[in-house]
Structure formats: C-alpha cells, structure tokens
Amino acid sequence: MADISIMQDHTLSMEQARVAAQKVADQMVAEYEMVAEWKGDVLSFTRTGVSGTLALAENQAHLEITLGFMLKGFASAIEAKVTKNMEKVFATAA
C-alpha cells in the first residue's frame, strides 16, 4: 500500500497532462535522484527507498508513492511538497 496518495484534478488535454506530469517527474528525478519511465499513461519512478507511479486519466492525475523505512518519517513533508508542486504544474501547464 502506498504511503502517499494524491489525486489532482485538472482541465488539461491528455497531451498537456503528460507534459505536466513530465515536469513533476523531472523535478523528482533532479531532487531525489530517481529513475522515471513511461508505460502508456503511467509514469513509474524509483530509487533506493522510494517507488511510485503517476497515472494520468481524463481530468485527473493520481500519484502514489511508497517509502522505504528510512523515509517514512518524512512522509508528511514529502507529501506536502509534492502536492504543492502537482497543484502548481497541473494548473499552469496549459
């Protein structure tokens, strides 16, 4: 079960949503040294101690993150930062 689950509504086309999702992924890759890979409309990402997916659908993006033991204590801070970033990116990606 994911430690962090964020549903972000949006009014973007699927193409615009994918661009927005890539922005979120690029920031996560840069800040947390993750590896990210698209499989259809699902972006999977991983690094030691963290894994997750960002699934795109019409009018909604769903982010799920599973944290390793060492990062569980930071779940609230990580969730707050990622939520803020997703809100910003999905609102302005048009």
Side-chain angles (χ1 to χ4, degrees), residues 4-10 12 20-21 23-25 27-28 45 53-56 60-65 79-93:
I4 299 171
S5 182
I6 302 168
M7 299 291 279
Q8 177 65 50
D9 292 333
H10 65 80
L12 306 174
K23 287 182 185 179
V24 173
Q27 185 171 12
M28 290 170 50
F45 53 89
T53 58
L54 177 56
L56 301 178
Q60 193 170 67
H62 184 200
L63 177 69
E64 289 193 331
I65 301 172
E79 182 171 10
K81 185 172 185 172
V82 173
T83 297
K84 183 178 178 180
N85 189 35
M86 283 185 63
E87 289 171 353
K88 177 181 160 188
V89 170
F90 279 98
T92 60

PDB file of all heavy atoms in Angstrom, residues 4-10 12 20-21 23-25 27-28 45 53-56 60-65 79-93:
ATOM      1  N   ILE A   4       1.898   7.544   0.338  1.00  0.00           N
ATOM      2  CA  ILE A   4       1.380   8.832  -0.100  1.00  0.00           C
ATOM      3  C   ILE A   4       0.511   8.590  -1.329  1.00  0.00           C
ATOM      4  O   ILE A   4       0.928   7.919  -2.271  1.00  0.00           O
ATOM      5  CB  ILE A   4       2.527   9.804  -0.455  1.00  0.00           C
ATOM      6  CG1 ILE A   4       3.406  10.069   0.766  1.00  0.00           C
ATOM      7  CG2 ILE A   4       1.973  11.099  -1.040  1.00  0.00           C
ATOM      8  CD1 ILE A   4       4.671  10.841   0.471  1.00  0.00           C
ATOM      9  N   SER A   5      -0.691   9.136  -1.309  1.00  0.00           N
ATOM     10  CA  SER A   5      -1.603   9.018  -2.442  1.00  0.00           C
ATOM     11  C   SER A   5      -2.236  10.388  -2.670  1.00  0.00           C
ATOM     12  O   SER A   5      -2.896  10.928  -1.788  1.00  0.00           O
ATOM     13  CB  SER A   5      -2.679   7.974  -2.160  1.00  0.00           C
ATOM     14  OG  SER A   5      -3.530   7.825  -3.288  1.00  0.00           O
ATOM     15  N   ILE A   6      -2.018  10.946  -3.858  1.00  0.00           N
ATOM     16  CA  ILE A   6      -2.509  12.284  -4.175  1.00  0.00           C
ATOM     17  C   ILE A   6      -3.319  12.222  -5.460  1.00  0.00           C
ATOM     18  O   ILE A   6      -2.829  11.737  -6.481  1.00  0.00           O
ATOM     19  CB  ILE A   6      -1.339  13.277  -4.354  1.00  0.00           C
ATOM     20  CG1 ILE A   6      -0.477  13.335  -3.095  1.00  0.00           C
ATOM     21  CG2 ILE A   6      -1.863  14.654  -4.741  1.00  0.00           C
ATOM     22  CD1 ILE A   6       0.843  14.046  -3.281  1.00  0.00           C
ATOM     23  N   MET A   7      -4.545  12.715  -5.403  1.00  0.00           N
ATOM     24  CA  MET A   7      -5.388  12.842  -6.589  1.00  0.00           C
ATOM     25  C   MET A   7      -5.423  14.317  -6.952  1.00  0.00           C
ATOM     26  O   MET A   7      -5.771  15.145  -6.108  1.00  0.00           O
ATOM     27  CB  MET A   7      -6.811  12.353  -6.306  1.00  0.00           C
ATOM     28  CG  MET A   7      -6.883  10.889  -5.907  1.00  0.00           C
ATOM     29  SD  MET A   7      -6.484   9.761  -7.229  1.00  0.00           S
ATOM     30  CE  MET A   7      -8.004   9.732  -8.098  1.00  0.00           C
ATOM     31  N   GLN A   8      -5.027  14.638  -8.180  1.00  0.00           N
ATOM     32  CA  GLN A   8      -5.012  16.032  -8.630  1.00  0.00           C
ATOM     33  C   GLN A   8      -5.936  16.183  -9.835  1.00  0.00           C
ATOM     34  O   GLN A   8      -5.694  15.590 -10.882  1.00  0.00           O
ATOM     35  CB  GLN A   8      -3.587  16.445  -9.013  1.00  0.00           C
ATOM     36  CG  GLN A   8      -3.467  17.845  -9.556  1.00  0.00           C
ATOM     37  CD  GLN A   8      -3.804  18.894  -8.528  1.00  0.00           C
ATOM     38  OE1 GLN A   8      -3.295  18.859  -7.419  1.00  0.00           O
ATOM     39  NE2 GLN A   8      -4.672  19.813  -8.881  1.00  0.00           N
ATOM     40  N   ASP A   9      -7.016  16.937  -9.670  1.00  0.00           N
ATOM     41  CA  ASP A   9      -7.905  17.213 -10.791  1.00  0.00           C
ATOM     42  C   ASP A   9      -7.249  18.235 -11.702  1.00  0.00           C
ATOM     43  O   ASP A   9      -6.450  19.071 -11.259  1.00  0.00           O
ATOM     44  CB  ASP A   9      -9.245  17.766 -10.292  1.00  0.00           C
ATOM     45  CG  ASP A   9     -10.048  16.719  -9.532  1.00  0.00           C
ATOM     46  OD1 ASP A   9      -9.878  15.519  -9.805  1.00  0.00           O
ATOM     47  OD2 ASP A   9     -10.848  17.117  -8.669  1.00  0.00           O
ATOM     48  N   HIS A  10      -7.594  18.175 -12.990  1.00  0.00           N
ATOM     49  CA  HIS A  10      -7.084  19.148 -13.954  1.00  0.00           C
ATOM     50  C   HIS A  10      -8.060  19.263 -15.111  1.00  0.00           C
ATOM     51  O   HIS A  10      -8.966  18.442 -15.259  1.00  0.00           O
ATOM     52  CB  HIS A  10      -5.684  18.753 -14.452  1.00  0.00           C
ATOM     53  CG  HIS A  10      -5.644  17.486 -15.224  1.00  0.00           C
ATOM     54  ND1 HIS A  10      -6.008  17.409 -16.553  1.00  0.00           N
ATOM     55  CD2 HIS A  10      -5.298  16.221 -14.869  1.00  0.00           C
ATOM     56  CE1 HIS A  10      -5.874  16.160 -16.976  1.00  0.00           C
ATOM     57  NE2 HIS A  10      -5.444  15.418 -15.972  1.00  0.00           N
ATOM     58  N   LEU A  12      -6.760  19.784 -18.293  1.00  0.00           N
ATOM     59  CA  LEU A  12      -5.833  19.697 -19.413  1.00  0.00           C
ATOM     60  C   LEU A  12      -6.211  18.562 -20.362  1.00  0.00           C
ATOM     61  O   LEU A  12      -6.845  17.590 -19.957  1.00  0.00           O
ATOM     62  CB  LEU A  12      -4.413  19.445 -18.898  1.00  0.00           C
ATOM     63  CG  LEU A  12      -3.875  20.429 -17.856  1.00  0.00           C
ATOM     64  CD1 LEU A  12      -2.526  19.969 -17.351  1.00  0.00           C
ATOM     65  CD2 LEU A  12      -3.791  21.822 -18.429  1.00  0.00           C
ATOM     66  N   ALA A  20       2.720  18.092 -18.179  1.00  0.00           N
ATOM     67  CA  ALA A  20       2.724  18.487 -16.771  1.00  0.00           C
ATOM     68  C   ALA A  20       3.312  17.381 -15.901  1.00  0.00           C
ATOM     69  O   ALA A  20       4.125  17.644 -15.008  1.00  0.00           O
ATOM     70  CB  ALA A  20       1.303  18.823 -16.318  1.00  0.00           C
ATOM     71  N   ALA A  21       2.913  16.142 -16.173  1.00  0.00           N
ATOM     72  CA  ALA A  21       3.438  15.009 -15.404  1.00  0.00           C
ATOM     73  C   ALA A  21       4.943  14.885 -15.586  1.00  0.00           C
ATOM     74  O   ALA A  21       5.665  14.580 -14.629  1.00  0.00           O
ATOM     75  CB  ALA A  21       2.743  13.719 -15.833  1.00  0.00           C
ATOM     76  N   LYS A  23       6.986  17.310 -16.091  1.00  0.00           N
ATOM     77  CA  LYS A  23       7.595  18.368 -15.274  1.00  0.00           C
ATOM     78  C   LYS A  23       7.731  17.909 -13.822  1.00  0.00           C
ATOM     79  O   LYS A  23       8.767  18.122 -13.184  1.00  0.00           O
ATOM     80  CB  LYS A  23       6.775  19.651 -15.342  1.00  0.00           C
ATOM     81  CG  LYS A  23       6.888  20.382 -16.646  1.00  0.00           C
ATOM     82  CD  LYS A  23       6.075  21.661 -16.611  1.00  0.00           C
ATOM     83  CE  LYS A  23       6.077  22.364 -17.946  1.00  0.00           C
ATOM     84  NZ  LYS A  23       5.259  23.595 -17.912  1.00  0.00           N
ATOM     85  N   VAL A  24       6.677  17.296 -13.298  1.00  0.00           N
ATOM     86  CA  VAL A  24       6.720  16.767 -11.927  1.00  0.00           C
ATOM     87  C   VAL A  24       7.818  15.715 -11.829  1.00  0.00           C
ATOM     88  O   VAL A  24       8.633  15.719 -10.908  1.00  0.00           O
ATOM     89  CB  VAL A  24       5.348  16.172 -11.510  1.00  0.00           C
ATOM     90  CG1 VAL A  24       5.448  15.469 -10.173  1.00  0.00           C
ATOM     91  CG2 VAL A  24       4.288  17.265 -11.458  1.00  0.00           C
ATOM     92  N   ALA A  25       7.855  14.816 -12.806  1.00  0.00           N
ATOM     93  CA  ALA A  25       8.858  13.745 -12.808  1.00  0.00           C
ATOM     94  C   ALA A  25      10.268  14.305 -12.903  1.00  0.00           C
ATOM     95  O   ALA A  25      11.174  13.857 -12.187  1.00  0.00           O
ATOM     96  CB  ALA A  25       8.600  12.784 -13.965  1.00  0.00           C
ATOM     97  N   GLN A  27      11.383  17.125 -11.897  1.00  0.00           N
ATOM     98  CA  GLN A  27      11.770  17.714 -10.616  1.00  0.00           C
ATOM     99  C   GLN A  27      12.098  16.621  -9.599  1.00  0.00           C
ATOM    100  O   GLN A  27      13.084  16.718  -8.865  1.00  0.00           O
ATOM    101  CB  GLN A  27      10.669  18.611 -10.072  1.00  0.00           C
ATOM    102  CG  GLN A  27      11.099  19.319  -8.798  1.00  0.00           C
ATOM    103  CD  GLN A  27      10.113  20.378  -8.356  1.00  0.00           C
ATOM    104  OE1 GLN A  27       9.008  20.465  -8.858  1.00  0.00           O
ATOM    105  NE2 GLN A  27      10.525  21.174  -7.400  1.00  0.00           N
ATOM    106  N   MET A  28      11.305  15.554  -9.583  1.00  0.00           N
ATOM    107  CA  MET A  28      11.569  14.456  -8.651  1.00  0.00           C
ATOM    108  C   MET A  28      12.889  13.771  -8.988  1.00  0.00           C
ATOM    109  O   MET A  28      13.649  13.415  -8.093  1.00  0.00           O
ATOM    110  CB  MET A  28      10.405  13.461  -8.672  1.00  0.00           C
ATOM    111  CG  MET A  28       9.151  14.023  -8.045  1.00  0.00           C
ATOM    112  SD  MET A  28       7.665  13.018  -8.280  1.00  0.00           S
ATOM    113  CE  MET A  28       8.177  11.420  -7.808  1.00  0.00           C
ATOM    114  N   PHE A  45       8.367   5.509 -11.221  1.00  0.00           N
ATOM    115  CA  PHE A  45       9.638   6.069 -10.774  1.00  0.00           C
ATOM    116  C   PHE A  45      10.138   5.287  -9.568  1.00  0.00           C
ATOM    117  O   PHE A  45       9.356   4.705  -8.811  1.00  0.00           O
ATOM    118  CB  PHE A  45       9.508   7.559 -10.443  1.00  0.00           C
ATOM    119  CG  PHE A  45       8.405   7.875  -9.471  1.00  0.00           C
ATOM    120  CD1 PHE A  45       8.628   7.868  -8.106  1.00  0.00           C
ATOM    121  CD2 PHE A  45       7.137   8.175  -9.931  1.00  0.00           C
ATOM    122  CE1 PHE A  45       7.619   8.148  -7.221  1.00  0.00           C
ATOM    123  CE2 PHE A  45       6.106   8.462  -9.053  1.00  0.00           C
ATOM    124  CZ  PHE A  45       6.358   8.448  -7.682  1.00  0.00           C
ATOM    125  N   THR A  53       4.072   5.604  -8.776  1.00  0.00           N
ATOM    126  CA  THR A  53       3.511   5.798 -10.103  1.00  0.00           C
ATOM    127  C   THR A  53       2.727   7.104 -10.140  1.00  0.00           C
ATOM    128  O   THR A  53       2.181   7.546  -9.133  1.00  0.00           O
ATOM    129  CB  THR A  53       2.557   4.652 -10.493  1.00  0.00           C
ATOM    130  OG1 THR A  53       1.508   4.560  -9.528  1.00  0.00           O
ATOM    131  CG2 THR A  53       3.290   3.328 -10.604  1.00  0.00           C
ATOM    132  N   LEU A  54       2.678   7.677 -11.320  1.00  0.00           N
ATOM    133  CA  LEU A  54       1.839   8.831 -11.598  1.00  0.00           C
ATOM    134  C   LEU A  54       0.991   8.443 -12.796  1.00  0.00           C
ATOM    135  O   LEU A  54       1.498   8.325 -13.921  1.00  0.00           O
ATOM    136  CB  LEU A  54       2.682  10.072 -11.904  1.00  0.00           C
ATOM    137  CG  LEU A  54       1.930  11.341 -12.283  1.00  0.00           C
ATOM    138  CD1 LEU A  54       0.922  11.729 -11.201  1.00  0.00           C
ATOM    139  CD2 LEU A  54       2.898  12.477 -12.526  1.00  0.00           C
ATOM    140  N   ALA A  55      -0.276   8.157 -12.543  1.00  0.00           N
ATOM    141  CA  ALA A  55      -1.192   7.687 -13.582  1.00  0.00           C
ATOM    142  C   ALA A  55      -2.057   8.839 -14.069  1.00  0.00           C
ATOM    143  O   ALA A  55      -2.646   9.568 -13.261  1.00  0.00           O
ATOM    144  CB  ALA A  55      -2.072   6.563 -13.040  1.00  0.00           C
ATOM    145  N   LEU A  56      -2.132   8.998 -15.379  1.00  0.00           N
ATOM    146  CA  LEU A  56      -2.931  10.056 -15.980  1.00  0.00           C
ATOM    147  C   LEU A  56      -4.240   9.514 -16.499  1.00  0.00           C
ATOM    148  O   LEU A  56      -4.297   8.425 -17.076  1.00  0.00           O
ATOM    149  CB  LEU A  56      -2.167  10.698 -17.136  1.00  0.00           C
ATOM    150  CG  LEU A  56      -0.826  11.328 -16.803  1.00  0.00           C
ATOM    151  CD1 LEU A  56      -0.191  11.881 -18.075  1.00  0.00           C
ATOM    152  CD2 LEU A  56      -0.978  12.408 -15.755  1.00  0.00           C
ATOM    153  N   GLN A  60      -7.768  14.040 -14.447  1.00  0.00           N
ATOM    154  CA  GLN A  60      -7.225  13.666 -13.142  1.00  0.00           C
ATOM    155  C   GLN A  60      -5.857  12.997 -13.272  1.00  0.00           C
ATOM    156  O   GLN A  60      -5.601  12.267 -14.218  1.00  0.00           O
ATOM    157  CB  GLN A  60      -8.184  12.713 -12.431  1.00  0.00           C
ATOM    158  CG  GLN A  60      -7.865  12.528 -10.970  1.00  0.00           C
ATOM    159  CD  GLN A  60      -8.974  11.773 -10.268  1.00  0.00           C
ATOM    160  OE1 GLN A  60      -9.183  10.596 -10.542  1.00  0.00           O
ATOM    161  NE2 GLN A  60      -9.680  12.456  -9.395  1.00  0.00           N
ATOM    162  N   ALA A  61      -5.005  13.294 -12.302  1.00  0.00           N
ATOM    163  CA  ALA A  61      -3.711  12.625 -12.178  1.00  0.00           C
ATOM    164  C   ALA A  61      -3.672  11.995 -10.788  1.00  0.00           C
ATOM    165  O   ALA A  61      -4.105  12.612  -9.806  1.00  0.00           O
ATOM    166  CB  ALA A  61      -2.575  13.613 -12.349  1.00  0.00           C
ATOM    167  N   HIS A  62      -3.163  10.774 -10.703  1.00  0.00           N
ATOM    168  CA  HIS A  62      -3.117  10.056  -9.433  1.00  0.00           C
ATOM    169  C   HIS A  62      -1.678   9.633  -9.167  1.00  0.00           C
ATOM    170  O   HIS A  62      -1.110   8.828  -9.902  1.00  0.00           O
ATOM    171  CB  HIS A  62      -4.038   8.842  -9.477  1.00  0.00           C
ATOM    172  CG  HIS A  62      -4.112   8.117  -8.181  1.00  0.00           C
ATOM    173  ND1 HIS A  62      -4.532   6.816  -8.092  1.00  0.00           N
ATOM    174  CD2 HIS A  62      -3.829   8.497  -6.915  1.00  0.00           C
ATOM    175  CE1 HIS A  62      -4.482   6.421  -6.825  1.00  0.00           C
ATOM    176  NE2 HIS A  62      -4.054   7.434  -6.097  1.00  0.00           N
ATOM    177  N   LEU A  63      -1.122  10.188  -8.108  1.00  0.00           N
ATOM    178  CA  LEU A  63       0.241   9.898  -7.705  1.00  0.00           C
ATOM    179  C   LEU A  63       0.227   8.999  -6.476  1.00  0.00           C
ATOM    180  O   LEU A  63      -0.472   9.291  -5.506  1.00  0.00           O
ATOM    181  CB  LEU A  63       0.983  11.201  -7.379  1.00  0.00           C
ATOM    182  CG  LEU A  63       2.414  11.062  -6.872  1.00  0.00           C
ATOM    183  CD1 LEU A  63       3.334  10.550  -7.980  1.00  0.00           C
ATOM    184  CD2 LEU A  63       2.915  12.397  -6.337  1.00  0.00           C
ATOM    185  N   GLU A  64       0.959   7.902  -6.535  1.00  0.00           N
ATOM    186  CA  GLU A  64       1.127   7.014  -5.390  1.00  0.00           C
ATOM    187  C   GLU A  64       2.619   6.812  -5.154  1.00  0.00           C
ATOM    188  O   GLU A  64       3.359   6.512  -6.096  1.00  0.00           O
ATOM    189  CB  GLU A  64       0.450   5.667  -5.622  1.00  0.00           C
ATOM    190  CG  GLU A  64      -1.054   5.757  -5.597  1.00  0.00           C
ATOM    191  CD  GLU A  64      -1.716   4.388  -5.520  1.00  0.00           C
ATOM    192  OE1 GLU A  64      -1.137   3.402  -6.010  1.00  0.00           O
ATOM    193  OE2 GLU A  64      -2.824   4.334  -4.960  1.00  0.00           O
ATOM    194  N   ILE A  65       3.032   6.994  -3.906  1.00  0.00           N
ATOM    195  CA  ILE A  65       4.439   6.857  -3.538  1.00  0.00           C
ATOM    196  C   ILE A  65       4.542   5.895  -2.363  1.00  0.00           C
ATOM    197  O   ILE A  65       3.815   6.025  -1.377  1.00  0.00           O
ATOM    198  CB  ILE A  65       5.047   8.214  -3.137  1.00  0.00           C
ATOM    199  CG1 ILE A  65       4.925   9.217  -4.285  1.00  0.00           C
ATOM    200  CG2 ILE A  65       6.496   8.047  -2.710  1.00  0.00           C
ATOM    201  CD1 ILE A  65       5.325  10.639  -3.911  1.00  0.00           C
ATOM    202  N   GLU A  79       4.875  14.596   1.158  1.00  0.00           N
ATOM    203  CA  GLU A  79       3.530  14.738   0.601  1.00  0.00           C
ATOM    204  C   GLU A  79       3.169  16.210   0.399  1.00  0.00           C
ATOM    205  O   GLU A  79       2.623  16.588  -0.646  1.00  0.00           O
ATOM    206  CB  GLU A  79       2.499  14.065   1.500  1.00  0.00           C
ATOM    207  CG  GLU A  79       1.097  14.133   0.944  1.00  0.00           C
ATOM    208  CD  GLU A  79       0.104  13.292   1.715  1.00  0.00           C
ATOM    209  OE1 GLU A  79       0.439  12.785   2.797  1.00  0.00           O
ATOM    210  OE2 GLU A  79      -1.030  13.153   1.226  1.00  0.00           O
ATOM    211  N   ALA A  80       3.474  17.053   1.371  1.00  0.00           N
ATOM    212  CA  ALA A  80       3.158  18.479   1.258  1.00  0.00           C
ATOM    213  C   ALA A  80       3.881  19.113   0.081  1.00  0.00           C
ATOM    214  O   ALA A  80       3.289  19.872  -0.703  1.00  0.00           O
ATOM    215  CB  ALA A  80       3.507  19.206   2.559  1.00  0.00           C
ATOM    216  N   LYS A  81       5.144  18.795  -0.074  1.00  0.00           N
ATOM    217  CA  LYS A  81       5.943  19.381  -1.155  1.00  0.00           C
ATOM    218  C   LYS A  81       5.464  18.894  -2.520  1.00  0.00           C
ATOM    219  O   LYS A  81       5.305  19.691  -3.451  1.00  0.00           O
ATOM    220  CB  LYS A  81       7.415  19.035  -0.956  1.00  0.00           C
ATOM    221  CG  LYS A  81       8.320  19.692  -1.965  1.00  0.00           C
ATOM    222  CD  LYS A  81       9.772  19.489  -1.621  1.00  0.00           C
ATOM    223  CE  LYS A  81      10.646  20.275  -2.582  1.00  0.00           C
ATOM    224  NZ  LYS A  81      12.042  20.269  -2.197  1.00  0.00           N
ATOM    225  N   VAL A  82       5.209  17.606  -2.642  1.00  0.00           N
ATOM    226  CA  VAL A  82       4.777  17.054  -3.924  1.00  0.00           C
ATOM    227  C   VAL A  82       3.369  17.539  -4.271  1.00  0.00           C
ATOM    228  O   VAL A  82       3.084  17.857  -5.431  1.00  0.00           O
ATOM    229  CB  VAL A  82       4.863  15.507  -3.919  1.00  0.00           C
ATOM    230  CG1 VAL A  82       4.264  14.920  -5.178  1.00  0.00           C
ATOM    231  CG2 VAL A  82       6.309  15.067  -3.768  1.00  0.00           C
ATOM    232  N   THR A  83       2.487  17.636  -3.282  1.00  0.00           N
ATOM    233  CA  THR A  83       1.126  18.140  -3.522  1.00  0.00           C
ATOM    234  C   THR A  83       1.175  19.559  -4.061  1.00  0.00           C
ATOM    235  O   THR A  83       0.508  19.894  -5.050  1.00  0.00           O
ATOM    236  CB  THR A  83       0.291  18.089  -2.234  1.00  0.00           C
ATOM    237  OG1 THR A  83       0.161  16.731  -1.814  1.00  0.00           O
ATOM    238  CG2 THR A  83      -1.098  18.677  -2.452  1.00  0.00           C
ATOM    239  N   LYS A  84       1.961  20.404  -3.422  1.00  0.00           N
ATOM    240  CA  LYS A  84       2.094  21.793  -3.861  1.00  0.00           C
ATOM    241  C   LYS A  84       2.631  21.864  -5.291  1.00  0.00           C
ATOM    242  O   LYS A  84       2.131  22.628  -6.125  1.00  0.00           O
ATOM    243  CB  LYS A  84       3.024  22.545  -2.908  1.00  0.00           C
ATOM    244  CG  LYS A  84       3.182  24.001  -3.231  1.00  0.00           C
ATOM    245  CD  LYS A  84       4.074  24.677  -2.207  1.00  0.00           C
ATOM    246  CE  LYS A  84       4.279  26.140  -2.556  1.00  0.00           C
ATOM    247  NZ  LYS A  84       5.142  26.818  -1.589  1.00  0.00           N
ATOM    248  N   ASN A  85       3.621  21.041  -5.591  1.00  0.00           N
ATOM    249  CA  ASN A  85       4.201  21.021  -6.935  1.00  0.00           C
ATOM    250  C   ASN A  85       3.192  20.544  -7.967  1.00  0.00           C
ATOM    251  O   ASN A  85       3.078  21.122  -9.049  1.00  0.00           O
ATOM    252  CB  ASN A  85       5.451  20.156  -6.951  1.00  0.00           C
ATOM    253  CG  ASN A  85       6.218  20.281  -8.256  1.00  0.00           C
ATOM    254  OD1 ASN A  85       6.259  21.342  -8.851  1.00  0.00           O
ATOM    255  ND2 ASN A  85       6.816  19.197  -8.694  1.00  0.00           N
ATOM    256  N   MET A  86       2.447  19.504  -7.656  1.00  0.00           N
ATOM    257  CA  MET A  86       1.453  19.000  -8.603  1.00  0.00           C
ATOM    258  C   MET A  86       0.363  20.034  -8.857  1.00  0.00           C
ATOM    259  O   MET A  86      -0.061  20.230 -10.000  1.00  0.00           O
ATOM    260  CB  MET A  86       0.844  17.685  -8.108  1.00  0.00           C
ATOM    261  CG  MET A  86       1.762  16.497  -8.313  1.00  0.00           C
ATOM    262  SD  MET A  86       1.022  14.924  -7.880  1.00  0.00           S
ATOM    263  CE  MET A  86      -0.327  14.808  -9.042  1.00  0.00           C
ATOM    264  N   GLU A  87      -0.112  20.690  -7.807  1.00  0.00           N
ATOM    265  CA  GLU A  87      -1.134  21.727  -7.965  1.00  0.00           C
ATOM    266  C   GLU A  87      -0.644  22.826  -8.900  1.00  0.00           C
ATOM    267  O   GLU A  87      -1.346  23.250  -9.805  1.00  0.00           O
ATOM    268  CB  GLU A  87      -1.516  22.321  -6.611  1.00  0.00           C
ATOM    269  CG  GLU A  87      -2.309  21.386  -5.744  1.00  0.00           C
ATOM    270  CD  GLU A  87      -2.492  21.898  -4.326  1.00  0.00           C
ATOM    271  OE1 GLU A  87      -1.890  22.929  -3.942  1.00  0.00           O
ATOM    272  OE2 GLU A  87      -3.259  21.261  -3.580  1.00  0.00           O
ATOM    273  N   LYS A  88       0.586  23.250  -8.682  1.00  0.00           N
ATOM    274  CA  LYS A  88       1.173  24.313  -9.490  1.00  0.00           C
ATOM    275  C   LYS A  88       1.345  23.873 -10.944  1.00  0.00           C
ATOM    276  O   LYS A  88       0.927  24.577 -11.876  1.00  0.00           O
ATOM    277  CB  LYS A  88       2.524  24.699  -8.899  1.00  0.00           C
ATOM    278  CG  LYS A  88       3.279  25.741  -9.689  1.00  0.00           C
ATOM    279  CD  LYS A  88       4.615  26.017  -9.019  1.00  0.00           C
ATOM    280  CE  LYS A  88       5.580  26.655  -9.987  1.00  0.00           C
ATOM    281  NZ  LYS A  88       6.920  26.757  -9.422  1.00  0.00           N
ATOM    282  N   VAL A  89       1.921  22.721 -11.163  1.00  0.00           N
ATOM    283  CA  VAL A  89       2.222  22.267 -12.512  1.00  0.00           C
ATOM    284  C   VAL A  89       0.957  21.944 -13.304  1.00  0.00           C
ATOM    285  O   VAL A  89       0.835  22.341 -14.461  1.00  0.00           O
ATOM    286  CB  VAL A  89       3.182  21.054 -12.482  1.00  0.00           C
ATOM    287  CG1 VAL A  89       3.316  20.426 -13.844  1.00  0.00           C
ATOM    288  CG2 VAL A  89       4.542  21.493 -11.959  1.00  0.00           C
ATOM    289  N   PHE A  90       0.013  21.257 -12.703  1.00  0.00           N
ATOM    290  CA  PHE A  90      -1.201  20.886 -13.448  1.00  0.00           C
ATOM    291  C   PHE A  90      -2.110  22.079 -13.688  1.00  0.00           C
ATOM    292  O   PHE A  90      -2.902  22.090 -14.616  1.00  0.00           O
ATOM    293  CB  PHE A  90      -1.936  19.733 -12.767  1.00  0.00           C
ATOM    294  CG  PHE A  90      -1.343  18.397 -13.075  1.00  0.00           C
ATOM    295  CD1 PHE A  90      -0.478  17.786 -12.193  1.00  0.00           C
ATOM    296  CD2 PHE A  90      -1.610  17.762 -14.273  1.00  0.00           C
ATOM    297  CE1 PHE A  90       0.096  16.552 -12.488  1.00  0.00           C
ATOM    298  CE2 PHE A  90      -1.033  16.535 -14.587  1.00  0.00           C
ATOM    299  CZ  PHE A  90      -0.188  15.932 -13.685  1.00  0.00           C
ATOM    300  N   ALA A  91      -2.003  23.127 -12.868  1.00  0.00           N
ATOM    301  CA  ALA A  91      -2.814  24.323 -13.061  1.00  0.00           C
ATOM    302  C   ALA A  91      -2.235  25.224 -14.143  1.00  0.00           C
ATOM    303  O   ALA A  91      -2.969  25.926 -14.823  1.00  0.00           O
ATOM    304  CB  ALA A  91      -2.931  25.098 -11.755  1.00  0.00           C
ATOM    305  N   THR A  92      -0.905  25.190 -14.338  1.00  0.00           N
ATOM    306  CA  THR A  92      -0.274  26.147 -15.239  1.00  0.00           C
ATOM    307  C   THR A  92       0.276  25.518 -16.505  1.00  0.00           C
ATOM    308  O   THR A  92       0.914  26.190 -17.293  1.00  0.00           O
ATOM    309  CB  THR A  92       0.892  26.863 -14.514  1.00  0.00           C
ATOM    310  OG1 THR A  92       1.860  25.889 -14.112  1.00  0.00           O
ATOM    311  CG2 THR A  92       0.394  27.640 -13.322  1.00  0.00           C
ATOM    312  N   ALA A  93       0.061  24.240 -16.698  1.00  0.00           N
ATOM    313  CA  ALA A  93       0.674  23.562 -17.842  1.00  0.00           C
ATOM    314  C   ALA A  93      -0.024  23.844 -19.167  1.00  0.00           C
ATOM    315  O   ALA A  93       0.490  23.495 -20.202  1.00  0.00           O
ATOM    316  CB  ALA A  93       0.705  22.053 -17.588  1.00  0.00           C
TER     317      ALA A  93
END
